[in-house]
Every structure is written in structure tokens, then in C-alpha cells.
């Protein structure tokens, strides 16, 4: 276990807190190992119905630890070994984006580099008013990791080139206007709003939300209309066969709030 990542499960919400506030939660190998292990467990744990990723202190995540980079830590390893470790760590972004449970990033202050990639990998991104969002990779002589190229292209289209190459620092309202965040709230309300949204997602029909995510992922990966329709058809009928769908239909007729059990 490491104190660099705090895990808390309550009401179906797994909150994962990056915990190096003195370094703006810059990622270390041990922290990333812990995050990857936690996400792999969350993906298959029936008790987890939503994942909330946040950072301790005044920042979300400043990306990789530049201090360690400057000291050339790990530079003695071979290209193949370093590539393998990085690719393994980058599974964190894939899991946040593709696991069959909704994921939410709650972000304040610094959100840069790999931290930006992890935040954008989530289904929803709620930002505090102190958000400072930037790619940062080019400024430290790196090309980008943890899916930054993919997520920026999906969200910004042609504007991704200017954002990645020039690395401007966006304030919260600018990031919202560009479509990089879902909503902006005052910092003092950020944690409460994040937990409210996460609990809302966790109380939903988890199987259905997973199929919605899968459909969206198929579409964003360039499926033809026919392929998208094929995926929609089988997933829609799969959802129609769940107890949660029947509960939702009955609740609609009874004019009450449905209670979902992920079955």
C-alpha cells in the first residue's frame, strides 16, 4: 500500500485521491502503480458503481514529476523497458475511459501533462474556479502520454494542434468554453458537487450506463453508421432484459423514483 493514493468507497462511489499535495500530486511510478491497481479492481468490483478521481490540496495533478526527470531517474533502463513500463501505466487512462462504469474527474488548480490526460479520460470533468489547464508536454521536451493526443483530438478537433504545440494555460471558463470540462463551480463547492454527481451516477442503472459508454466509444473510434446500429441494437436489447429496465418502466408508470440494483 502507498499513501500516495487514497481510496474510499461509499454509497457505490469509489473516490481515488492523488495524494502528493506538496508536489501538486505529480505522478510517481509507485503512485501510478497504485492507481492502475485500484482501477483494475474497480472495473470488476460489483460494489463500485462510479469512480471519482481527484487530487489532494490545491491542485489536481501537475503531470509527471519534473524533479525526477531532471535527475534522470530511471534513465539507465533500456528503451524497451521504459516503454513497457510507460505503456502499462497508461492503462490508467484506458480504464477510466472504457470501464463499464461512469468515471468523474473533480479538478482544481493545476491540471497539466499526464494529469490533464487522466482528467480528460473520465466521462465527466467538473472543475473548480481555480483550474489552470495546460498540455505542458512541449514545455518539458516531451510529446505526450496517457492518451493526450487521442482525447485532445476527440474534444478539440483541429484546435488540438494549437493547444498541444503552444501549450497555453486555460482558466476554468476558457476550458469550459472549449468543451474540455463539463461544468465549473466555485472551489469551495467543488468537492460537494463532485460527490453529488458521482452519487447520482452510482445510483443509476449501472449495466445500462456501461452499455451507453460502450456505444459512445464505438462511435468515437470511427464506426460506420451500420456498425454503430449493430452495436446499439444488441446493447439496447441486453438492457431491455435487465431487472433495472423493468424497475424503471414500473417506476415511470407509478410516478416514483426507480431504485436500481445493477441486475
Amino acid at each position: 500500500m502507498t499513501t500516495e493514493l487514497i481510496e474510499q468507497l461509499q454509497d457505490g462511489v469509489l473516490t481515488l485521491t492523488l495524494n502528493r499535495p506538496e508536489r501538486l500530486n505529480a505522478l510517481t511510478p509507485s503512485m501510478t502503480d497504485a492507481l492502475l491497481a485500484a482501477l483494475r479492481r474497480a472495473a470488476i468490483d460489483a460494489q463500485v458503481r462510479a469512480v471519482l478521481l481527484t487530487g489532494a490540496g490545491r491542485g489536481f495533478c501537475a503531470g509527471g514529476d519534473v524533479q525526477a526527470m531532471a535527475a534522470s531517474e530511471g534513465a539507465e533502463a533500456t528503451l524497451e523497458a521504459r516503454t513497457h513500463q510507460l505503456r502499462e501505466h497508461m492503462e490508467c487512462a484506458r480504464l477510466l475511459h472504457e470501464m463499464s462504469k461512469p468515471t468523474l474527474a473533480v479538478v482544481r488548480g493545476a491540471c497539466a501533462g499526464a494529469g490533464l490526460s487522466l482528467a480528460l479520460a473520465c466521462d465527466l470533468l467538473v472543475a473548480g474556479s481555480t483550474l489552470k489547464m495546460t498540455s505542458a508536454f512541449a514545455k518539458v521536451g516531451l510529446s505526450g502520454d496517457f492518451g493526450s493526443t487521442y482525447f485532445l483530438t476527440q474534444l478539440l478537433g483541429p484546435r488540438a494542434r494549437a493547444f498541444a504545440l503552444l501549450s497555453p494555460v486555460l482558466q476554468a471558463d476558457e476550458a469550459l468554453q472549449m468543451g474540455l470540462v463539463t461544468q465549473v463551480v466555485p472551489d469551495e463547492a467543488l468537492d460537494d458537487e463532485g460527490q453529488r454527481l458521482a452519487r447520482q451516477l452510482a445510483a443509476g442503472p449501472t449495466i445500462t450506463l456501461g452499455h451507453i459508454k460502450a456505444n459512445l466509444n464505438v462511435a468515437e473510434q470511427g464506426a460506420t453508421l451500420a456498425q454503430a446500429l449493430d452495436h446499439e441494437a444488441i446493447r439496447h436489447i441486453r438492457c431491455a432484459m435487465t431487472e433495472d429496465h423493468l424497475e424503471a418502466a414500473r417506476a415511470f408508470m407509478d410516478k416514483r423514483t426507480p431504485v436500481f440494483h445493477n441486475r
Side-chain angles (χ1 to χ4, degrees):
M1 298 295 291
T2 175
T3 59
E4 294 178 339
L5 182 76
I6 300 172
E7 301 180 45
Q8 183 179 18
L9 178 61
Q10 185 174 4
D11 299 328
V13 176
L14 176 64
T15 300
L16 300 175
T17 304
L18 306 176
N19 189 40
R20 294 184 71 214
E22 74 285 356
R23 300 289 299 159
L24 292 176
N25 302 311
L27 299 174
T28 65
S30 57
M31 178 193 283
T32 314
D33 284 340
L35 178 60
L36 179 56
L39 291 172
R40 282 174 168 162
R41 290 192 298 270
I44 60 175
D45 186 347
Q47 294 185 78
V48 177
R49 297 178 65 174
V51 174
L52 187 157
L53 179 65
T54 192
R58 60 189 177 89
F60 172 67
C61 177
D65 192 329
V66 179
Q67 182 174 313
M69 296 176 196
S72 297
E73 293 182 12
E76 68 283 355
T78 64
L79 169 65
E80 291 76 13
R82 293 175 67 181
T83 301
H84 175 78
Q85 183 187 48
L86 177 58
R87 180 60 185 88
E88 179 75 359
H89 283 166
M90 287 162 64
E91 280 293 287
C92 291
R94 188 190 64 78
L95 284 164
L96 286 167
H97 197 62
E98 294 186 358
M99 74 164 66
S100 60
K101 298 168 185 183
T103 58
L104 170 68
V106 174
V107 179
R108 59 167 55 80
C111 180
L116 171 64
S117 303
L118 290 172
L120 296 182
C122 295
D123 300 311
L124 301 175
L125 197 168
V126 181
S129 52
T130 60
L131 174 71
K132 295 187 185 302
M133 177 179 281
T134 183
S135 170
F137 290 114
K139 293 181 178 179
V140 291
L142 294 171
S143 57
D145 57 8
F146 284 78
S148 62
T149 305
Y150 179 84
F151 298 122
L152 288 173
T153 301
Q154 289 292 325
L155 292 166
L156 298 181
R159 294 180 297 172
R161 292 178 180 268
F163 187 77
L165 292 170
L166 300 175
S167 198
V169 178
L170 302 180
Q171 306 296 317
D173 289 343
E174 294 174 303
L176 178 64
Q177 185 177 18
M178 291 180 69
L180 291 172
V181 307
T182 307
Q183 69 182 92
V184 175
V185 299
D187 262 31
E188 58 270 21
L190 180 60
D191 291 332
D192 287 344
E193 177 62 9
Q195 287 292 332
R196 184 193 69 78
L197 277 174
R199 287 195 299 270
Q200 177 182 332
L201 291 167
T206 308
I207 294 172
T208 294
L209 296 181
H211 284 297
I212 290 173
K213 282 189 63 168
N215 282 338
L216 292 169
N217 286 337
V218 164
E220 76 179 16
Q221 291 164 11
T224 64
L225 175 58
Q227 290 168 333
L229 294 175
D230 288 343
H231 284 278
E232 284 186 352
I234 192 168
R235 292 193 175 106
H236 192 85
I237 297 303
R238 173 69 182 87
C239 292
M241 297 170 67
T242 63
E243 293 180 23
D244 282 347
H245 165 67
L246 184 58
E247 161 64 8
R250 288 172 174 168
F252 179 84
M253 297 303 296
D254 296 341
K255 295 182 172 55
R256 61 177 174 81
T257 301
V259 178
F260 298 114
H261 297 288
N262 194 24
R263 295 195 294 265

